[in-house]
């Protein structure tokens, strides 16, 4: 929405050359405003956050590793009747732990600092992975504790702080900043899917053991695959721990005068774009409301965001955990399925920056409508992949990951835009509690309904739930929230005068 005062402010900063040729010279001034407005340490801080999220994002390798884990437990520990659909409780506990611990990680960062709080969460996650080498030899229950609960709690404790740190460095590009960092979360599976498959199944063997209760489902029984599964957790856990240490050491805090330094750059750059000038004249984060977590719970817009995220997560959970299992029903090529998951993770990573940038240029509401609409269509048509074969499966899975990835840049930026940056980590932790509910509900659906519904019924159900997100977003009170921010900005500017 553009007000009269905004229009006047914009015209004030237009140069004659900009008025005559508004399309000319747009890119380089934008880059100068983006890159030159912060310390060089900002680059290291964002790289550090990206590196940390590469390891946290191995949550999305579960769809790739699930066949190896489930097959090992059926052969060497128990229960012998474990299925791929029941094994998704591992991912459900990961996501539940993430949703529970994220709020506490945000609160801890205010007391012990960003670096220490992130490192505590990261190494808790890595310990969970390392101890899974012993847990998987015991039973599925112990693996639920280590690779499920401990992994998830550690991941959640460390998740939000790198995002908030990046948005502090780039206060006027919150969607882009959060998108870059969580892009690491999406790309983590791209790297480690290759690591997992190359280590466990380098010869691209296919599942060879039929389930007598479900003749359409196969499991691995080859010793050359299953014997490597416990040691895989040691390789992954040690690698994660080293990457996490390096990442946290790079996470520098921004100076208190970051906003004034950016203002100086804008004042000294004659070619700065109108959108940059407008963001400066309408106030910084310091002039916007900062809600505490308790105050947040009294804001209706919080519940709009919460239920939108909740319904979108149905697709995120089911597709990310079962895409490979679904693909195995009509594609007999483990290496191909691993490549699909890895390329989809690239889409997951770059999609976060793409959608975050669009939200900066447009609005949360507009972009979320596009995302929820596209994902709904993709999920509803997933059953057609059995007719389209490898090409269609590849396109649909990659597009689905690319599109739903936008949730993880839009919701953090919306949280800071509408509720302030001061308590952003804790506030986003509250918003992320929807993952606890959806992860457990999704696991119940997978366990109880996947067999009677079949793949077609399951995807139609999930597609309909995702469609609800579209209609919730239609009711998002964007104009009311923007007016609230403008009033708060004007009030604080009058006080300063």
């Amino acid at each position: 929405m553009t007000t009269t005062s905004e229009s006047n402010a914009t015209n004030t900063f237009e140069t004659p050359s900009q008025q005559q040729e508004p399309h000319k010279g747009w890119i380089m001034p934008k880059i100068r405003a983006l890159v030159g407005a912060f310390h060089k340490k900002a680059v290291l801080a964002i790289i550090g956050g990206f590196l940390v999220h590469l390891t946290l994002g191995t949550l999305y390798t579960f769809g790739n590793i699930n066949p190896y884990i489930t097959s090992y437990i059926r052969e060497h520990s128990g229960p012998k009747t474990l299925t791929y659909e029941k094994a998704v409780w591992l991912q459900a506990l990961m996501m539940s732990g993430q949703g529970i611990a994220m709020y506490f990680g945000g609160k801890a960062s205010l007391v012990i600092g960003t670096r220490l709080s992130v490192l505590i969460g990261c190494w808790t996650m890595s310990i969970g992975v390392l101890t899974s080498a012993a847990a998987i030899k015991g039973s599925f229950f112990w693996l639920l504790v280590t690779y499920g609960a401990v992994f998830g709690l550690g991941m959640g404790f460390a998740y939000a702080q790198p995002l908030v740190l990046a948005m502090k460095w780039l206060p006027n590009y919150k969607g882009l900043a959060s998108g870059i960092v969580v892009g690491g979360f999406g790309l983590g599976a791209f790297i480690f899917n290759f690591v997992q498959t190359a280590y466990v199944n380098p010869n691209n063997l296919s599942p060879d053991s039929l389930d007598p209760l479900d003749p359409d489902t196969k499991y691995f029984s080859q010793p050359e695959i299953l014997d490597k599964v416990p040691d895989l957790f040691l390789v992954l856990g040690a690698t994660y721990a080293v990457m996490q240490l390096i990442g946290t050491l790079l996470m520098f805090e921004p100076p208190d005068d970051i906003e004034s330094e950016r203002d100086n750059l804008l004042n000294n750059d004659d070619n700065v774009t109108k959108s940059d000038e407008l963001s400066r004249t309408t106030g910084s984060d310091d002039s916007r409301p900062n809600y505490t977590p308790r105050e947040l719970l009294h804001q209706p817009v919080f519940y709009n965001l919460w239920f939108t995220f909740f319904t979108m997560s149905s697709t995120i959970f089911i597709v990310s955990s079962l895409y490979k299992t679904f693909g195995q029903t009509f594609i007999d090529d483990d290496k191909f399925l691993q490549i699909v998951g890895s390329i989809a993770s690239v889409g997951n990573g770059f999609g976060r920056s793409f959608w975050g940038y669009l939200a900066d240029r447009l609005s949360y509401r507009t972009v979320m409508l596009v995302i929820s609409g596209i994902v709904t269509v993709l999920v509803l048509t997933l059953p057609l992949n059995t007719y389209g074969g490898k090409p269609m499966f590849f396109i649909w899975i990659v597009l689905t990951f690319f599109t739903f990835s936008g949730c993880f840049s839009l919701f953090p930026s919306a949280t800071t835009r509408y509720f302030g940056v001061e308590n952003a980590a804790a506030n986003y932790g509250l918003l992320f509690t929807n993952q606890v509910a959806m992860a457990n509900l999704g696991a119940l659906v997978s366990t109880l309904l996947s067999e009677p519904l079949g793949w077609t019924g399951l995807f139609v159900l999930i597609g309909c739930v995702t469609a609800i997100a579209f209609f919730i977003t239609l009711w998002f009170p964007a104009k009311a929230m923007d007016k609230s921010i403008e009033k708060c900005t004007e009030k604080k500017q009058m006080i300063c005068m």
Side-chain angles (χ1 to χ4, degrees):
M1 180 182 69
T2 304
T3 64
T4 303
S5 59
E6 288 174 343
S7 179
N8 292 338
T10 303
N11 292 334
T12 301
F13 289 98
E14 285 184 349
T15 64
S17 61
Q18 287 174 320
Q19 293 171 351
Q20 294 171 3
E21 298 179 295
H23 64 283
K24 188 176 181 179
W26 183 87
I27 296 178
M28 290 310 298
K30 193 79 170 178
I31 294 175
R32 283 197 295 273
L34 180 63
V35 176
F38 50 83
H39 290 197
K40 293 180 180 179
K41 288 183 178 180
V43 177
L44 297 178
I46 293 174
I47 291 174
F50 180 88
L51 195 60
V52 165
H53 270 252
L54 275 177
T55 65
L56 304 184
T58 54
L59 161 73
Y60 285 120
T61 66
F62 180 77
N64 183 65
I65 202 175
N66 183 6
Y68 307 139
I69 290 176
T70 304
S71 299
Y72 181 92
I73 291 174
R74 289 172 63 93
E75 289 286 331
H76 295 297
S77 55
K80 303 295 184 181
T81 57
L82 182 67
T83 64
Y84 297 136
E85 292 79 11
K86 293 177 181 178
V88 300
W89 281 102
L90 275 170
Q91 188 169 10
L93 279 180
M94 290 178 184
M95 296 176 70
S96 296
Q98 182 184 16
I100 292 170
M102 193 180 297
Y103 169 80
F104 297 101
K107 297 293 286 185
S109 67
L110 300 176
V111 179
I112 62 177
T114 297
R115 278 180 176 168
L116 184 55
S117 64
V118 170
L119 189 60
I120 289 173
C122 284
W123 277 3
T124 299
M125 170 196 148
S126 294
I127 289 172
V129 177
L130 289 167
T131 54
S132 295
I136 196 172
K137 296 177 181 179
S139 69
F140 182 60
F141 169 79
W142 290 114
L143 193 65
L144 285 172
V145 174
T146 59
Y147 199 57
V150 177
F151 182 110
L153 290 170
M155 173 179 57
F157 199 86
Y159 183 92
Q161 297 91 302
L163 299 179
V164 175
L165 185 65
M167 288 187 283
K168 285 181 179 178
W169 278 111
L170 298 176
N172 294 305
Y173 299 90
K174 292 183 178 67
L176 179 62
S178 62
I180 292 173
V181 174
V182 294
F185 198 93
L187 288 169
F190 168 72
I191 297 172
F192 288 99
N193 276 351
F194 280 106
V195 173
Q196 292 170 357
T197 300
Y199 185 84
V200 175
N201 190 13
N203 297 320
N204 193 28
L205 301 178
S206 298
D208 64 340
S209 177
L210 288 174
D211 184 349
L213 300 177
D214 183 7
D216 293 330
T217 303
K218 292 182 180 181
Y219 299 88
F220 292 101
S221 65
Q222 301 93 324
E224 58 265 43
I225 291 178
L226 301 185
D227 291 347
K228 297 176 182 177
V229 174
D231 290 343
L232 174 65
F233 290 110
L234 298 178
V235 173
L236 295 175
T239 304
Y240 297 162
V242 173
M243 293 174 63
Q244 290 162 349
L245 177 61
I246 295 172
T248 53
L249 291 176
L250 294 176
M251 294 173 62
F252 296 96
E253 292 281 356
D256 294 334
D257 59 348
I258 184 67
E259 283 289 343
S260 62
E261 292 193 13
R262 185 179 187 281
D263 286 348
N264 290 335
L265 174 79
L266 293 171
N267 285 328
N268 293 330
D269 192 343
D270 293 334
N271 294 319
V272 72
T273 65
K274 293 185 286 185
S275 62
D276 288 318
E277 294 288 7
L278 184 58
S279 67
R280 180 168 65 91
T281 59
T282 55
S284 66
D285 287 323
D286 293 335
S287 64
R288 293 180 177 180
N290 279 292
Y291 292 94
T292 65
R294 179 173 295 183
E295 293 170 337
L296 189 68
L297 296 176
H298 293 88
Q299 301 301 314
V301 70
F302 168 77
Y303 296 98
N304 184 288
L305 293 171
W306 195 96
F307 280 105
T308 302
F309 205 171
F310 174 80
T311 49
M312 286 296 299
S313 296
S314 61
T315 289
I316 296 170
F317 178 80
I318 294 296
V319 174
S320 66
S321 61
L322 293 176
Y323 76 88
K324 189 173 185 178
T325 305
F326 170 59
Q328 285 177 337
T329 61
F330 60 97
I331 297 174
D332 190 23
D333 188 340
D334 190 57
K335 179 69 70 174
F336 172 78
L337 294 172
Q338 174 260 305
I339 291 174
V340 170
S342 295
I343 301 301
S345 298
V346 174
N348 190 1
F350 285 104
R352 298 177 185 222
S353 298
F354 172 78
W355 295 111
Y357 176 74
L358 277 188
D360 285 337
R361 298 291 296 174
L362 301 173
S363 69
Y364 158 80
R365 182 177 181 273
T366 300
V367 177
M368 182 51 66
L369 286 173
V370 174
I371 289 174
S372 56
I374 294 175
V375 171
T376 298
V377 173
L378 288 171
V379 175
L380 288 174
T381 54
L382 263 176
L384 300 177
N385 283 200
T386 55
Y387 302 101
K390 284 184 176 181
M392 186 175 181
F393 180 78
F394 177 88
I395 294 170
W396 253 242
I397 297 300
V398 171
L399 283 179
T400 302
F401 272 73
F402 174 81
T403 308
F404 75 55
S405 68
C407 294
F408 299 100
S409 55
L410 263 66
F411 287 111
S413 61
T415 301
T416 55
R417 171 172 172 75
Y418 297 118
F419 308 125
V421 73
E422 185 175 326
N423 300 294
N427 288 343
Y428 187 54
L430 279 182
L431 179 62
F432 213 84
T433 55
N434 73 84
Q435 299 290 289
V436 180
M438 178 47 72
N440 287 280
L441 181 60
L444 281 173
V445 169
S446 176
T447 302
L448 302 177
L449 299 181
S450 59
E451 185 174 345
L453 290 178
W455 288 109
T456 298
L458 180 63
F459 289 136
V460 169
L461 173 63
I462 298 305
C464 291
V465 173
T466 305
I468 297 174
F470 180 87
F471 293 103
I472 296 175
T473 305
L474 281 175
W475 297 327
F476 183 77
K479 292 183 179 180
M481 293 303 296
D482 289 339
K483 285 181 179 179
S484 176
I485 292 174
E486 288 173 8
K487 288 180 180 179
C488 184
T489 300
E490 292 171 0
K491 182 177 179 182
K492 292 193 176 184
Q493 285 176 343
M494 290 178 66
I495 293 174
C496 292
M497 293 173 66

